[in-house]
Amino acid sequence: MDLALPAAAALWGAATGTLLPRAAYRFSAPTGEQWRTACPADHPLRGWLGRARCGECATAEGAQASPLAPAHRSNLAPSSAEAPTPAPGTGLTPASDDDPAPGAQPTKLAPADGSTPGAQPTKLAPADGSTPAHPDLHAPGVHPTPPAPSGQRAPSSWARAAYGPRVIPLAVVTALVCAALALATGTRPELGVWLVLAPVAVLLATVDFRVQRLPDPLTLPLAAAALALLAVAALLPEHAGDWLTALYAALVLGAAYFVLFLVNPGGMGFGDVKLALGMGAVLGWYGWPTVLLGTFAGFLFGALYGGALVVVRRAGRKTAIAFGPFLIAGAFAGLLVGAYTA
C-alpha cells in the first residue's frame, strides 16, 4: 500500500490543526454572548488563527518572574574585601581566611562561638538563635517568584500565558482524521473536499464540546462549501459520488433534525439543525445507505457517551450534552465506510 498520500494528508491535518486553538477559544463563548475578542487578562486578540497564547501576558509574567538583581551576583558570596562588618553587640565575628571556623566557608560570617552557621552565605543569623526576619526582596540573589516543587520544572511565562485549548491534541486529531480519509478515499477528487472540510469539523466539535454552542459563521458556510466543492469534484474524472444526491440528503437530513428540534427543543439545538445540512451533503455524496449509516452512528455515539456519564454519576438522565461532536463523528464514520465501498 502506498502510504505517501495518507502521510501527506496527515501533514496537512497537523498543519491546519495547529491553527485552530485561537479560533476555538474565540468561538467558545456562551450562548447569547459575543465572540471573544480578548484573552482572560483583557489583552486584545489579533486574528482568528494560531496558537492560544497571549504575548502580552507572557511578557508580564516574565517581568514578574525575573530576578531583582544581576544574575551573575545572585549566587556568589561577597569577597573578603566586600564582606560587611557586623554591627557592635551582635556577637558575630568574621571568619578569618587563615584560620576559618570549623565547617564554615572562607567568605561566610561565622558566629563568635565557633558553631557552624546554617544560613546562606550572605545572611546574618541573630546571636540569640532566633529565627531571622524575612529576607529583603531587594537583596542580591533573592527572587520574588518561589521555586518549583522538588522534581518539577517551573512553567515558563509563555506556558502560563495560555488561554485556550492546546495545540498538540487538535493537531493530532486533525492529522488522524485527514489520514483516515485519505486511506479510505484514495486519489479520487472528492478527497480534496474532505481535507478542506475536516479542520472545520474538528473546530466545530471542539467548540460545541466546550460551550455547547455551534457558531453560525461555521455551520452554514460549512454546508455551502461542501455543496460547492462537491459540485466541482463532480466535474472531474474518476469521482465516485453523485452531487444531486448530496443536495437532497442535505435538505432531508436538515429537515429531519428540524423536526427533532421542534419536538424536543431542550434535547436538540438549532445549531445541530444547521450542522446537519453540511453533514447530510457529505454523506449523501456516496448515496442514501451512507446517509442512514452516518446518522445512526451519530445517535449511537451520543447514546453511548451519555450512558457512560450516567454510569459514572457525572450526569443524569435529563442532563443536556453537546450533540454536535457526535453528529460529526457519525458522519465521519459513515464517510469512511462509504468511501471504502464506493
Side-chain angles (χ1 to χ4, degrees), residues 249-277:
L251 298 176
V252 169
L253 197 61
Y257 272 80
F258 182 67
V259 172
L260 294 176
F261 168 74
L262 295 178
V263 172
N264 185 16
M268 182 69 63
F270 197 65
D272 298 319
V273 177
K274 289 174 280 191
L275 178 61
L277 294 171

Side-chain angles (χ1 to χ4, degrees), residues 47-342:
W48 285 85
L49 301 177
R51 297 169 60 90
R53 300 290 188 274
C54 178
E56 296 185 38
C57 289
T59 302
E61 289 281 357
Q64 293 178 3
S66 62
L68 298 176
H72 68 280
R73 302 289 297 173
S74 59
N75 297 322
L76 298 178
S79 62
S80 58
E82 299 173 341
T85 302
T90 59
L92 299 175
T93 58
S96 170
D97 290 340
D98 299 329
D99 187 18
Q105 298 296 329
T107 57
K108 293 182 180 179
L109 298 180
D113 58 2
S115 60
T116 302
Q120 297 296 326
T122 57
K123 296 180 181 178
L124 299 179
D128 57 1
S130 60
T131 303
H134 293 289
D136 183 7
L137 292 179
H138 298 281
V142 177
H143 298 260
T145 302
S150 177
Q152 298 182 11
R153 179 183 296 178
S156 65
S157 59
W158 189 244
R160 291 193 298 268
Y163 56 79
R166 299 176 60 185
V167 170
I168 294 179
L170 289 179
V172 169
V173 170
T174 311
L176 292 177
V177 169
C178 291
L181 290 171
L183 282 172
T185 310
T187 57
R188 293 194 294 264
E190 60 263 26
L191 175 61
V193 181
W194 311 148
L195 295 182
V196 170
L197 300 181
V200 183
V202 173
L203 177 59
L204 276 167
T206 303
V207 173
D208 196 22
F209 190 80
R210 288 166 63 91
V211 295
Q212 296 187 12
R213 183 182 186 183
L214 291 167
D216 288 344
L218 296 178
T219 53
L220 296 178
L222 176 68
L227 290 172
L229 293 175
L230 288 175
V232 175
L235 300 177
L236 300 176
E238 299 183 1
H239 68 271
D242 183 72
W243 185 82
L244 282 179
T245 306
L247 174 62
Y248 296 150
L251 298 176
V252 169
L253 197 61
Y257 272 80
F258 182 67
V259 172
L260 294 176
F261 168 74
L262 295 178
V263 172
N264 185 16
M268 182 69 63
F270 197 65
D272 298 319
V273 177
K274 289 174 280 191
L275 178 61
L277 294 171
M279 297 300 99
V282 298
L283 290 172
W285 174 259
Y286 290 123
W288 292 108
T290 303
V291 176
L292 295 176
L293 176 61
T295 304
F296 173 77
F299 282 103
L300 177 62
F301 294 156
L304 292 176
Y305 176 77
L309 291 182
V310 173
V311 169
V312 299
R313 298 182 179 181
R314 298 194 54 185
R317 294 183 178 181
K318 297 184 178 180
T319 302
I321 63 173
F323 189 69
F326 307 106
L327 176 58
I328 293 172
F332 173 69
L335 197 60
L336 290 180
V337 175
Y340 270 120
T341 57

Side-chain angles (χ1 to χ4, degrees), residues 25-37 48 213:
Y25 171 80
R26 297 196 63 172
F27 279 123
S28 295
T31 303
E33 296 185 8
Q34 297 294 327
W35 312 125
R36 290 169 173 169
T37 59
W48 285 85
R213 183 182 186 183

